[in-house]
């Protein structure tokens, strides 16, 4: 056996050693830890040139601090399966007070499982001082470190001895009665190969123009790492597409700005950039007006989306919460980042993720709509489904007991993909409950759930279990990176490629950010540009143009794509399939598989008279299915992306209903049935925009709006307000009516929508702000608000909240000025906060404003929680505001928690008021439980400790009981307070 083979064998058996400890500990069998002390001696002796003995036997009891010792060499080992810093601190503390303290000059801690990526050397130095040398890098060892040391000695005799010993001890290990580690290793290897084959390539339309290029493209060649934010929109309607004012300013004056760690938070650090410069910049573009507003100097810079949010890079995705839900728009790249992550984890590419522990996980992807179908047909949970999934899609046979042993014993990463693709709300709720139960049942599972905004709002996962991230749109840098990667695959000629990339990027400057910053739509735009060398600008145009390009434009260089189909109008067939399939999935009735699709197409072709003979219709159907697969439009019984399903569904309704005057009433009834349902929102948007695009006057769209208002007023109001900016052939009167009613309903109580969980005031308000920057709506909004004031008797506090929040979110201060002109301004505590909103974004001004608030109002109000009346996340990524908690959160991590606390105390704020503030959940914290624990340990002020305890209880539901999860907090806090030790386990866990 060669040295490489010996080393490979050692690596395998060390992994088995580690796995056996993991398996035993997972089943509360800790005797393996004691046995391991003896097993490890024959390996450590030659590697460290020592003669270790087990002091637990020589001393006749469980020795303190150490397990193995060579007194002549002064070397000792502590052998443990516990890998946290607390265990190491305990070991060192006990060693320095034990009888061995003068006999040992070198201590190693051997971790039987996996050691952590990092340990605090500073924390250990406080314990050991100059008494003993101990390096977190050198003196903490696990199986991986042992293997590296074996490799480094390069002594074939020692390597052979260690290999033979490990093989004898760990030739195989059983996970259950039949499943061994060798079988697990074989499973992982087969799974890895199959997984990478499935996920590392993508079938992507338009990327195979040249005949000599394969249709399958490496995912790695096109993948652009996404960004995430803990800031997630709570709206389930269309997001705005107007320019982000601050983003524009940053792009133009990047050298003059210091961008802080948080999104859109800036600090002017160059005297050449004055506030007037920013005001002038925005005014010149017609985006704001200046004058007449209190504290206006900086107000316009803090608006619409200009909020503090915690950003995460793709590399940091696994560095935070154990379970997260990633919410995003259609086409944001949710499934792509999952496939990329799985491949890179299986390949152990440690350049991708900063948390190296994730590479020890076994990743699985579960498409939730498939799981839901399986559950309805066969019953059973995720474990049962994984067995069938592995057999059907990965050609791997594994039993339910074996997959259960893997999930229970080993670190497993489950990607629950596409919660939004379960249309039926009751089924979606049931699947959500299954996910929550699954992650609670298996301690070693970490998970990521993905969903669109629209569907997630109805079935939110537990905040105690899951943290929410938003997958962000591409920024300009990512757009450029994607364009260049796309062309690197698409065009081999350097000159042509550089020219087209340059021209494409120039044209993209004029495309709505909502379109070009969405990865899927950017792909569609690039496909269109490649074929036409021109880019349209509206969403409908892009959907329509791309679909027509995909379906009707043949590439003459690819013979397969030049086949003359028997079917004359392929778009009509795609549209028919889409509408039929969309209705089935929306209603949750029936199963779509190859046979049902084939039979439906054949019947459709015969019914519409394209073919009269069944056998010819069948041939045409088979030919069409092959064509759809080749063009990567429809394969495996579904459209390659939900966007196609939605577009073709809208196209079918337009052609079949709107194109036939006899079906006008049916069209109205269909729209009425679907309006207000989130699953249908995109389809209806495309449909109405398509109808609008064919008009030459206002009559048709106005009548359509009026019909729907008579049937479902509020749902129709929300829907037409959100698409208002896309409609060109709606009358000014109807436009004004929609805006007037939207303002009115922002103040109405007790109204309901079809999907009752929707906060209609929040949605209406947000969509009003999204059109406020568009010139054609500014006067209408101003006039409608004035007229509303004339006929309303609503409390002026509510009106002020509306106007000021509107100004903050949209950057349009007109409504505030109207209230000022009419002497309708209020000066309550909440309105005071809104008036001084810009001051909240600079520490010194925040404190000054807090003191002014204290002088003007009762000090106890500093502990109150103020909530945005329209649920807008305007307070540092939260809809809630509290002077104390918001300040501490917004100062962190620049200032430690204790420093921010002391700063408030120094300003004369009562400690009781500060403590009371911590009892009321308000701002979104930018620090975690561990930060609070550490602050508590370091705090000397008893009031500060009470403040921290209340924060822990309020935000993390942690009560003052000895928590096993937090040994640091238990050791330092509970022992100091005389509550004693927890009862020891019957079996010794090392």
């Amino acid at each position: 056996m060669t040295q490489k083979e010996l080393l490979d064998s050692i690596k395998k058996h060390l992994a088995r050693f580690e796995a056996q400890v993991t398996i035993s500990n997972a089943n509360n069998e800790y005797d393996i830890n004691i046995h391991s002390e003896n097993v490890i001696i024959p390996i450590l002796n030659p590697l460290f040139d020592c003669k270790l003995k087990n002091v637990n036997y020589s001393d006749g009891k469980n020795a303190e601090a150490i397990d193995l010792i060579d007194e002549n060499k002064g070397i000792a080992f502590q052998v443990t399966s516990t890998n946290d810093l607390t265990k190491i601190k305990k070991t060192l503390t006990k060693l320095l007070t034990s009888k061995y303290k003068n006999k040992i000059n070198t201590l190693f801690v051997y971790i039987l499982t996996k050691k952590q990526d990092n340990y605090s050397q500073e924390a250990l130095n406080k314990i050991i001082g100059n008494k003993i040398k101990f390096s977190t890098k050198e003196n903490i060892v696990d199986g991986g470190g042992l293997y590296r040391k074996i490799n480094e000695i390069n002594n074939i005799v020692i390597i052979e001895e260690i290999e033979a010993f490990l093989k004898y001890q760990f030739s195989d290990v059983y996970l259950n009665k039949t499943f061994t580690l060798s079988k697990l290793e074989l499973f992982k290897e087969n799974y890895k190969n199959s997984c990478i084959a499935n996920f590392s390539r993508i079938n992507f339309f338009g990327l195979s123009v040249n005949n000599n290029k394969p249709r399958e493209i490496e995912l790695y060649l096109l993948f652009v790492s996404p960004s995430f934010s803990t800031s997630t929109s709570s709206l389930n309607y269309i997001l705005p597409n107007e320019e982000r004012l601050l983003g524009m300013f940053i792009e133009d004056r990047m050298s003059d700005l210091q961008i802080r760690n948080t999104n859109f938070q800036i600090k002017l650090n160059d005297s050449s950039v004055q506030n007037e410069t920013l005001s002038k910049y925005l005014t010149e573009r017609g985006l704001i007006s200046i004058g007449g507003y209190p504290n206006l100097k900086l107000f316009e810079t803090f608006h619409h989306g200009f909020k503090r949010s915690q950003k995460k890079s793709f590399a940091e995705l696994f560095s935070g919460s154990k379970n997260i839900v990633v919410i995003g728009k259609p086409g944001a790249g949710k499934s792509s980042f999952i496939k990329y992550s799985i491949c890179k984890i299986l390949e152990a590419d440690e350049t991708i993720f900063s948390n190296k522990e994730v590479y020890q996980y076994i990743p699985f992807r579960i498409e939730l709509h498939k799981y839901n179908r399986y559950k309805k047909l066969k019953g059973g949970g995720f474990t049962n489904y994984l067995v069938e999934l592995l057999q059907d899609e990965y050609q791997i046979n594994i039993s339910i007991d074996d997959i259960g042993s893997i999930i229970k014993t080993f670190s497993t990463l489950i990607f629950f993909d596409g919660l939004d693709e379960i249309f039926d709300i009751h089924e979606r709720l049931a699947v959500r409950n299954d996910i929550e139960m699954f992650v609670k049942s298996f301690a070693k599972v970490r998970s990521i759930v993905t969903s669109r905004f629209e569907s997630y709002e109805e079935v939110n996962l537990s905040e105690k279990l899951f943290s929410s991230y938003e997958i962000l749109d591409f920024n300009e840098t990512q757009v450029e990176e994607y364009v260049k990667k796309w062309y690197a695959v698409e065009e081999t000629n350097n000159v042509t490629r550089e020219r087209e990339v340059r021209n494409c990027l120039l044209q993209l400057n004029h495309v709505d950010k909502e379109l070009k910053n969405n990865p899927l739509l950017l792909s569609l735009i690039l496909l269109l540009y490649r074929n036409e060398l021109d880019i349209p600008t509206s969403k409908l145009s892009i959907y329509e143009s791309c679909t027509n390009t995909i379906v009707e434009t043949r590439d003459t260089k690819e013979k397969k794509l030049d086949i003359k189909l028997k079917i004359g109008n392929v778009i009509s067939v795609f549209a028919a399939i889409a509408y039929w399939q969309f209705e089935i999935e929306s209603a949750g009735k029936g199963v779509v598989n190859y046979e049902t699709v084939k039979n439906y197409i054949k019947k459709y072709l015969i019914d519409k008279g394209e073919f009269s003979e069944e056998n010819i219709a069948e041939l045409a159907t088979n030919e069409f299915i092959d064509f759809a697969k080749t063009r990567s439009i429809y394969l495996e019984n579904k459209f390659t992306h939900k966007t196609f399903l939605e577009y073709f569904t809208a196209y079918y309704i337009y052609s079949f209903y709107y194109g036939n005057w006899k079906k006008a009433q049916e069209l109205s009834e269909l729209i009425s049935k679907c309006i207000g349902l989130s699953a249908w929102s995109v389809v209806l948007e495309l449909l109405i925009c398509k109808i609008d695009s064919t008009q030459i006057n206002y009559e048709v769209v106005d009548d359509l709006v009026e019909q729907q208002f008579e049937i479902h007023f509020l749902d129709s109001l929300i829907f037409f307000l959100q698409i208002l900016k896309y409609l060109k052939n709606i009358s000014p009167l109807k436009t004004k009516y929609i805006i007037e009613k939207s303002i009115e309903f922002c103040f109405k109580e007790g109204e309901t929508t079809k999907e009752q969980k929707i906060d209609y005031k929040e949605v209406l308000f947000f969509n009003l702000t999204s059109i406020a920057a568009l010139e054609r709506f500014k006067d209408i909004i101003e006039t409608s608000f004035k007229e509303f004031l004339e006929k309303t008797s609503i409390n002026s506090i509510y009106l002020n909240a509306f106007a000021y929040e509107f100004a903050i979110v949209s950057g349009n201060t007109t409504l505030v000025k109207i209230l000022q002109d009419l002497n309708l301004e209020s000066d309550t505590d909440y309105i005071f906060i809104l008036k001084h909103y810009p001051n909240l974004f600079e520490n010194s001004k925040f404190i000054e404003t807090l003191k002014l608030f204290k002088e003007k109002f009762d000090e106890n109000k500093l502990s109150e929680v103020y909530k945005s009346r329209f649920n807008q996340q305007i307070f540092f990524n939260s809809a809630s505001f509290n002077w104390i908690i918001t300040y501490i959160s917004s100062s962190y991590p620049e200032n430690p928690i204790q420093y921010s606390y002391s700063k408030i105390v120094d300003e004369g704020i009562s400690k009781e008021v500060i403590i009371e503030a911590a009892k009321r959940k308000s701002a979104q914290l930018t620090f975690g439980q561990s930060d609070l624990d550490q602050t508590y340990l370091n705090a000397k002020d008893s009031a500060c400790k009470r403040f921290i305890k209340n924060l822990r209880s309020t935000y993390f539901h942690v009560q003052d009981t000895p928590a096993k999860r937090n040994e640091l907090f238990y050791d330092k806090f509970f022992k100091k307070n005389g509550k004693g030790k927890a009862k020891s386990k019957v079996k010794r866990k090392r």
Side-chain angles (χ1 to χ4, degrees):
M1 189 180 289
T2 66
Q3 184 165 322
K4 183 181 183 306
E5 290 172 331
L6 288 168
L7 288 169
D8 287 343
S9 176
I10 287 171
K11 185 191 296 183
K12 178 176 72 174
H13 288 97
L14 281 173
R16 288 183 179 177
F17 183 10
E18 177 188 308
Q20 185 166 9
V21 175
T22 302
I23 295 163
S24 299
N25 284 200
N27 291 283
N28 297 317
E29 298 169 358
Y30 300 111
D31 289 344
I32 182 68
N33 299 347
I34 302 170
H35 172 64
S36 298
E37 295 166 2
N38 295 322
V39 169
I40 204 72
I41 289 174
I43 303 173
L44 297 177
N45 279 339
L47 294 180
F48 292 86
D49 189 24
C50 57
K51 295 180 180 179
L52 297 166
K53 67 176 182 178
N54 192 325
V55 295
N56 295 311
Y57 293 121
S58 62
D59 286 13
K61 62 177 182 177
N62 181 22
E64 288 188 327
I66 64 170
D67 296 304
L68 313 175
I69 188 171
D70 181 337
E71 293 188 32
N72 293 327
K73 291 269 188 176
I75 295 176
F77 284 82
Q78 163 74 206
V79 182
T80 177
S81 61
T82 305
N83 70 347
D84 60 24
L85 180 64
T86 304
K87 175 64 178 178
I88 296 166
K89 289 168 74 175
K90 282 183 181 178
T91 297
L92 288 166
T93 301
K94 289 178 179 178
L95 173 64
L96 295 174
T97 57
S98 74
K99 67 179 183 179
Y100 296 104
K101 63 181 179 182
N102 296 321
K103 298 180 181 180
I104 297 170
N105 51 50
T106 305
L107 173 71
F108 292 93
V109 176
Y110 185 82
I111 309 293
L112 292 167
T113 53
K114 290 277 184 195
K115 72 175 187 178
Q116 296 179 358
D117 283 345
N118 295 294
Y119 295 91
S120 171
Q121 184 68 51
E122 183 181 354
L124 297 183
N125 288 343
K126 290 178 181 178
I127 296 172
I128 61 180
N130 297 321
K131 299 171 187 175
I132 189 173
K133 289 184 179 179
F134 187 92
S135 164
T136 57
K137 293 182 179 179
E138 301 295 330
N139 294 71
I140 304 174
V141 185
D142 62 2
L146 211 58
Y147 174 77
R148 284 189 290 275
K149 197 162 186 66
I150 294 168
N151 201 355
E152 286 168 6
I153 63 170
N154 200 26
N155 186 321
I156 190 67
V157 175
I158 293 176
I159 291 173
E160 283 180 337
E161 289 176 356
I162 292 175
E163 192 272 340
F165 175 76
L166 285 171
K167 184 184 289 185
Y168 173 76
Q169 288 284 344
F170 305 104
S171 58
D172 214 341
V173 177
Y174 280 83
L175 279 79
N176 56 41
K177 291 181 179 179
T178 59
F179 195 48
T180 63
L181 274 182
S182 59
K183 289 182 180 179
L184 173 63
E185 289 160 4
L186 180 61
F187 163 80
K188 288 170 71 174
E189 186 62 26
N190 291 338
Y191 175 67
K192 171 186 172 181
N193 294 335
S194 184
C195 222
I196 291 175
N198 282 354
F199 293 155
S200 66
R201 298 187 300 273
I202 52 175
N203 289 308
F204 200 68
F205 54 83
L207 293 180
S208 305
V209 174
N210 296 328
N211 190 41
N212 60 351
K213 289 185 180 180
R215 290 202 62 79
E216 285 190 320
I217 304 300
E218 291 292 330
L219 173 63
Y220 302 165
L221 296 177
L222 288 176
F223 187 77
V224 172
S225 296
S227 299
F228 302 88
S229 171
T230 54
S231 166
T232 54
S233 171
S234 60
L235 306 178
N236 53 346
Y237 284 86
I238 296 171
L239 298 174
N241 70 341
E242 61 269 18
E243 293 288 329
R244 304 269 183 181
L245 309 186
L246 188 61
M248 294 164 57
F249 186 70
I250 288 174
E251 288 171 14
D252 278 15
R253 302 299 297 272
M254 181 67 76
S255 62
D256 298 325
L257 295 174
Q258 176 188 350
I259 304 176
R260 297 171 70 180
N261 291 331
T262 49
N263 195 24
F264 289 114
Q265 171 85 31
I266 66 167
K267 177 181 178 183
L268 296 176
N269 67 344
D270 188 316
S271 58
S272 66
V273 182
Q274 302 297 325
N275 297 330
E276 289 76 17
T277 306
L278 180 55
S279 298
K280 181 181 178 184
Y281 175 90
L282 300 173
T283 306
E284 285 174 350
R285 285 153 176 75
L287 296 170
I288 63 167
S289 57
I290 304 296
Y293 181 75
N295 244 343
L296 189 64
K297 195 171 185 181
L298 273 175
F299 186 86
E300 284 82 1
T301 68
F302 297 93
H303 61 83
H304 183 71
F306 182 79
K307 57 190 178 184
R308 183 138 183 164
S309 63
Q310 196 75 17
K311 289 190 72 176
K312 268 192 179 290
S313 67
F314 181 59
E316 298 170 311
L317 184 61
F318 299 104
S319 298
S321 302
K322 182 180 178 185
N323 300 303
I324 63 175
V325 54
V326 174
I327 312 169
K329 301 175 191 176
K334 297 183 290 292
S335 294
S336 294
F337 93 75
I338 287 176
K339 293 175 181 179
Y340 186 82
S341 298
I342 290 174
C343 290
K344 290 300 182 180
I345 289 170
L346 290 171
E347 290 178 343
D349 184 349
E350 295 194 2
T351 64
I352 305 300
F353 300 112
S354 55
N355 179 7
K356 305 310 177 191
E357 290 181 9
V358 75
Y359 296 102
Q360 307 304 320
Y361 281 72
I362 304 174
F364 295 102
R365 178 188 181 221
I366 294 177
E367 293 178 86
L368 290 175
H369 73 95
K370 291 183 179 180
Y371 164 73
N372 185 51
R373 186 190 311 147
Y374 167 85
K375 183 181 176 184
K376 289 193 293 182
L377 291 175
K378 300 183 180 181
F382 288 118
T383 309
N384 302 77
Y385 176 68
L386 273 173
V387 172
E388 182 161 302
L389 173 69
L390 290 166
Q391 290 172 343
D392 291 349
E393 297 192 15
Y394 299 87
Q395 291 75 53
I396 295 175
N397 291 315
I398 188 169
S399 72
I400 184 73
D401 289 339
D402 295 347
I403 199 72
S405 294
I406 292 173
I407 295 172
K408 179 183 177 183
T409 309
F410 296 98
S411 297
T412 310
L413 172 60
I414 310 291
F415 292 93
F416 297 103
D417 195 11
L419 187 59
D420 59 287
E421 294 182 353
I422 302 171
F423 286 90
D424 184 272
I425 179 65
H426 302 292
E427 293 174 6
R428 204 181 316 145
L429 284 167
V431 171
R432 178 210 57 192
N433 294 340
D434 290 351
I435 294 170
E436 290 183 349
M437 184 59 67
F438 187 82
V439 299
K440 284 192 285 188
S441 300
F442 295 100
K444 287 188 170 291
V445 167
R446 71 182 300 160
S447 65
I448 292 181
V449 181
T450 67
S451 178
R452 289 189 183 187
F453 286 108
E454 297 90 346
S455 301
Y456 184 69
E457 284 299 313
E458 303 163 341
V459 295
N460 291 15
L461 287 149
S462 167
E463 291 183 2
K464 294 181 183 179
L465 292 173
F466 286 84
S467 297
S468 294
Y469 295 164
E470 177 184 353
I471 183 169
L472 301 174
D473 281 345
F474 279 171
N475 57 33
E476 295 302 315
T477 302
Q478 289 167 312
V479 168
E480 183 174 344
E481 180 184 350
Y482 190 84
V483 170
K484 290 178 177 178
K485 285 188 171 185
W486 196 90
Y487 262 97
V489 175
E490 179 71 9
E491 178 56 62
T492 56
N493 185 284
N494 291 339
V495 176
T496 303
R497 181 170 64 247
E498 289 178 12
R499 182 182 67 248
E500 290 196 17
V501 165
R502 184 172 58 253
N503 292 338
C504 181
L505 290 172
L506 284 172
Q507 289 204 37
L508 282 171
N509 288 333
H510 304 290
V511 174
D512 194 319
K513 287 187 176 182
E514 183 185 1
L515 301 176
K516 70 177 179 180
N517 290 6
N518 179 280
L520 175 73
L521 295 184
L522 177 60
S523 303
L524 299 175
I525 291 168
L526 291 176
L527 169 68
L528 186 65
Y529 178 79
R530 179 63 173 164
N531 282 274
E532 305 293 336
L533 295 181
D534 192 27
I535 296 176
T537 54
S538 75
K539 180 185 288 187
L540 176 66
S541 297
I542 289 175
Y543 273 57
E544 196 168 50
S545 298
C546 289
T547 305
N548 290 335
T549 299
I550 295 161
V551 176
E552 296 184 338
T553 303
R554 307 290 199 275
D555 184 354
T556 56
K557 295 180 181 179
E558 295 190 54
K559 296 180 180 178
K560 262 192 172 182
L561 301 182
D562 208 23
I563 295 174
K564 304 298 182 185
L565 298 178
K566 295 179 178 64
I567 294 173
N569 187 349
V570 294
I571 286 184
S572 71
V573 182
F574 280 126
I577 299 171
Y579 181 70
W580 166 73
Q581 194 161 335
F582 201 91
E583 281 215 310
I584 288 175
E585 293 181 358
S586 298
K589 298 175 181 177
V591 176
V592 176
N593 55 40
Y594 179 82
E595 285 303 317
T596 56
V597 171
K598 183 178 173 181
N599 291 336
Y600 175 81
I601 296 173
K602 184 171 67 174
K603 184 177 184 301
Y604 173 79
L605 294 173
I606 293 172
D607 289 349
K608 79 167 194 167
E610 185 148 357
F611 302 102
S612 57
E613 297 179 28
E614 188 169 329
N615 63 327
I616 298 177
E618 185 161 357
L619 288 172
T621 297
N622 293 336
E623 182 185 72
F624 173 83
I625 290 173
D626 288 341
F627 163 79
K629 182 177 180 180
T630 304
R631 293 305 294 261
S632 299
I633 304 164
Y634 189 91
L635 67 156
E636 296 179 0
N637 317 318
K638 64 178 182 180
F639 287 92
T640 53
H641 199 279
K642 197 173 180 180
T643 301
F644 293 122
L645 176 66
E646 290 165 335
Y647 172 77
F648 281 122
T649 300
Y651 183 87
Y652 179 86
I653 297 170
Y654 174 81
S655 302
F656 188 75
Y657 289 97
Y658 182 74
N660 186 341
W661 64 269
K662 295 179 182 179
K663 294 185 177 292
Q665 183 59 33
E666 290 181 49
L667 175 63
S668 178
E669 291 171 359
L670 187 150
I671 295 172
S672 174
K673 180 183 75 173
C674 300
I675 206 165
L677 300 178
S678 58
W680 283 85
S681 62
V682 175
V683 171
L684 291 185
E685 178 198 341
L686 294 171
L687 171 65
I688 302 303
C689 288
K690 178 67 176 175
I691 292 171
D692 174 72
S693 69
T694 61
Q695 303 310 306
I696 58 173
N697 55 46
Y698 302 136
E699 184 178 356
V700 171
V701 176
D702 279 13
D703 285 350
L704 196 154
V705 172
E706 203 166 304
Q707 289 170 14
Q708 296 309 313
F709 275 17
E710 289 176 1
I711 302 169
H712 295 293
F713 185 85
L714 183 53
D715 286 302
S716 301
L717 181 65
I718 293 170
F719 174 74
F720 284 108
L721 176 64
Q722 73 182 10
I723 68 168
L724 193 58
K725 55 190 164 190
Y726 303 121
L727 300 179
K728 297 178 181 177
N729 292 295
I730 183 172
S731 70
L733 285 175
K734 196 62 68 180
T735 298
K736 187 171 184 294
Y737 180 76
I738 291 171
I739 291 173
E740 285 176 348
K741 287 298 178 182
S742 296
I743 293 173
E744 178 185 327
F745 269 74
C746 282
F747 297 91
K748 276 185 175 286
E749 301 291 343
E751 302 293 329
T752 58
T753 59
K754 285 181 183 177
E755 295 180 346
Q756 294 185 7
K757 287 188 71 173
I758 292 173
D759 183 342
Y760 62 88
K761 289 190 287 185
E762 173 190 351
V763 176
L764 288 170
F765 181 89
F766 185 79
N767 282 299
L768 280 169
T769 62
S770 75
I771 63 173
L774 302 179
E775 197 61 44
R776 64 190 177 109
F777 296 116
K778 285 182 179 179
D779 289 342
I780 301 175
I781 292 173
E782 182 179 346
T783 303
S784 298
F785 186 64
K786 283 180 179 177
E787 292 175 358
F788 177 71
L789 292 176
E790 291 173 1
K791 62 184 180 182
T792 188
S793 58
I794 290 172
N795 189 310
S796 65
I797 297 173
Y798 297 163
L799 295 173
N800 275 262
F802 180 90
Y804 277 94
E805 288 192 27
F806 188 90
I808 289 169
V809 177
S810 70
N812 187 330
T813 61
T814 304
L815 305 190
V816 171
K817 293 168 188 172
I818 291 172
L819 291 180
Q820 290 174 342
D821 293 342
L822 296 174
N823 294 318
L824 290 175
E825 272 199 299
S826 289
D827 203 13
T828 62
D829 47 355
Y830 179 58
I831 303 304
F832 176 94
I833 294 167
L834 296 181
K835 281 184 179 181
H836 295 82
Y837 182 79
N839 294 345
L840 306 183
F841 293 86
E842 191 174 327
N843 278 355
S844 61
K845 289 188 177 181
F846 189 109
I847 292 295
E848 290 173 11
T849 311
L850 183 154
K851 289 163 65 177
L852 187 62
F853 180 90
K854 178 190 170 187
E855 292 171 9
K856 192 175 181 64
F857 304 99
D858 189 322
E859 182 189 35
N860 289 324
K861 284 189 174 291
L862 291 173
S863 64
E864 292 289 328
V865 175
Y866 296 93
K867 294 189 176 180
S868 162
R869 187 160 293 278
F870 300 96
N871 202 29
Q872 302 300 297
Q873 295 182 336
I874 55 178
F875 299 113
F876 298 99
N877 190 36
S878 175
S880 299
F881 176 86
N882 169 268
W883 283 104
I884 310 299
I885 308 304
T886 300
Y887 175 72
I888 290 176
S889 290
S890 62
S891 299
Y892 189 88
E894 288 90 343
N895 297 323
I897 302 167
Q898 191 172 355
Y899 175 86
S900 301
Y901 167 86
S902 301
K903 180 73 173 173
I904 296 173
V905 172
D906 291 344
E907 297 300 334
I909 310 302
S910 160
K911 291 183 179 180
E912 290 305 316
V913 168
I914 299 173
I915 291 168
E916 185 63 29
K919 297 178 182 179
R920 307 176 186 184
K921 193 167 185 178
S922 53
Q924 179 167 312
L925 297 186
T926 52
F927 44 83
Q929 183 186 329
S930 60
D931 298 310
L932 290 175
D933 292 344
Q934 196 61 49
T935 302
Y936 185 94
L937 297 177
N938 296 333
K940 294 181 174 57
D941 185 295
S942 60
C944 182
K945 286 181 176 289
R946 288 172 59 199
F947 173 71
I948 298 298
K949 283 167 62 179
N950 286 330
L951 277 180
R952 294 173 79 249
S953 175
T954 302
Y955 286 88
F956 300 102
H957 310 284
V958 177
Q959 302 301 319
D960 291 334
T961 57
K964 295 178 184 177
R965 294 179 301 175
N966 201 326
E967 291 186 22
L968 173 68
F969 196 77
Y970 168 75
D971 288 342
K972 297 292 185 181
F973 173 68
F974 290 97
K975 287 184 180 178
K976 282 183 180 179
N977 285 272
K979 299 197 176 183
K981 295 183 179 180
K983 291 181 181 179
S984 60
K985 293 179 181 283
V986 175
K987 293 186 177 180
R988 177 164 64 96
K989 183 178 181 181
R990 303 300 307 262

